[in-house]
Amino acid sequence: MWFFRSPEIVFGEGALEYLAQVQGTKALIVTDENIAALGFVEKVQAKLREAGMQASVFSEVEPNPCLQTVQRGAQVALAYEPDWIIGLGGGSCLDAAKSIWIQYERPDLAPDDVAPIGRLNLRQKAHLIAIPTTSGTGAEVTWPIVLTDLDEHRKVSVGHSENIPDLAIIDPAFVLNLPAQVTADTGMDVLTHAVEGYTSHWRNDFTDGLCLKAVQLVFDYLPHAYERGTEDSEARERMHNAATIAGLGFGNSMAAAAHALGHSMGALLPIPHGRAVGLCLPYTIEFTVRGYLPTRYAEIARFLGLPAADEEEAAGSLVQAIRDLARRIDQPLSLQGAGISREVFEAQLPALVENALNDSAMTVALRFPEDEEVEQILRYVYEGRLVDF
Ligand SMILES: [Zn+2]
């Protein structure tokens, strides 16, 4: 038995208008200082007023939100008693909103004590809306939450399928002015979600089409969104759709080895999530196709119209297409190219290997690497050399 989970999704130009039709009395908007400074909060508040709702704002979410921030947000919610929680921002804001909502509904549970088993019985007090302002994480349609425990210097992965948002508003107006660097980093995250969602052990009939479509949208529109920015509203809109479509794909399947390596790097090196996973993706494809057949990379390559006479040629074509895309949007092709010094890399290597092997995304990779193989792959990623085992 398996499930396909999704919020109600409103997308395209003017999608935010739908907020004026939501029924309720009070909303708590969970966001960060940057989003508040961009004037996005006022846009959301205006629509809530049209809906006859009051709104309060919690704008203390930081990148990689910590348990303490979530607890403060939950105190605000408990005092304000909203019937809607609205996450507005990138993945960090959406994760914080999910976690604050759970704490508000279930103050008896610690934020790091939310596991995907049993029942949470959410939606007794409020429902959740997610409004992404980047085109990347897919957090608007997925349920896992990543928080940071400042006291113990660790990341905690929590969440339950019940905490998937009720409504996701995919309005391209929120991403029209995204900086080029953020566009490139988050776009590589979308591509990695889609390729891994299509090739993980948990891929299924319901997610395959979503993943293929998202891969195609990234190749067609990411370079334009990066190069033309505000000038190309179509590219912005299609990339915003692609992020959510890939979120539905990998969220109902699973990410794999590039995410395991990327998560590991993100915790130990100064490199954003999307840049890290996008950098690792070609290396993990090369590793997989040399030890596990058939891989399904050929299906992706054929769908994109790339040379794909056999599995090896197809994987090679896909790797080359990913590297060409990365070059075109000025993404690094190696960890060295990402500005990580050899000293720092060597010092962190044992922890990078251990974290990657313990990451849940690694367990669904088609080819599960041994310790030494993970170390070798990371060395290839550092040097930017082709994987040859
Ligand atoms: Zn990701």
Side-chain angles (χ1 to χ4, degrees), residues 213-254:
K213 183 65 191 176
V215 172
Q216 186 188 50
L217 286 170
V218 171
F219 276 105
D220 286 350
Y221 291 100
L222 179 55
H224 294 159
Y226 175 75
E227 287 160 5
R228 301 179 192 156
T230 315
E231 307 296 307
D232 195 335
S233 57
E234 191 197 355
R236 288 297 195 193
E237 181 174 345
R238 303 300 286 275
M239 275 308 297
H240 210 34
N241 291 344
T244 302
I245 293 167
L248 287 172
F250 94 97
N252 287 287
S253 161
M254 184 64 167

Side-chain angles (χ1 to χ4, degrees), residues 136-137 189-190 192-193 250 255 259 263 273-274 277:
T137 65
D189 196 21
V190 177
T192 311
H193 291 158
F250 94 97
H259 265 80
H263 287 153
H273 173 79
V277 298

Side-chain angles (χ1 to χ4, degrees), residues 188 192 195-196 256-266 269 271-288 297 319 322-323 326 331-335 352 356 362 374 377-378 380-382 387:
M188 292 307 285
T192 311
V195 171
E196 297 209 305
H259 265 80
L261 295 173
H263 287 153
S264 177
M265 285 176 189
L269 303 170
I271 177 165
H273 173 79
R275 203 180 304 169
V277 298
L279 166 60
C280 294
L281 182 62
Y283 299 91
T284 57
I285 293 173
E286 286 174 334
F287 171 76
T288 306
Y297 297 121
V319 162
I322 294 168
R323 291 205 164 110
Q331 287 282 292
L333 298 177
S334 69
L335 259 184
L352 284 168
M362 192 64 99
V374 173
I377 294 168
L378 281 163
Y380 287 131
V381 175
Y382 184 79
V387 171

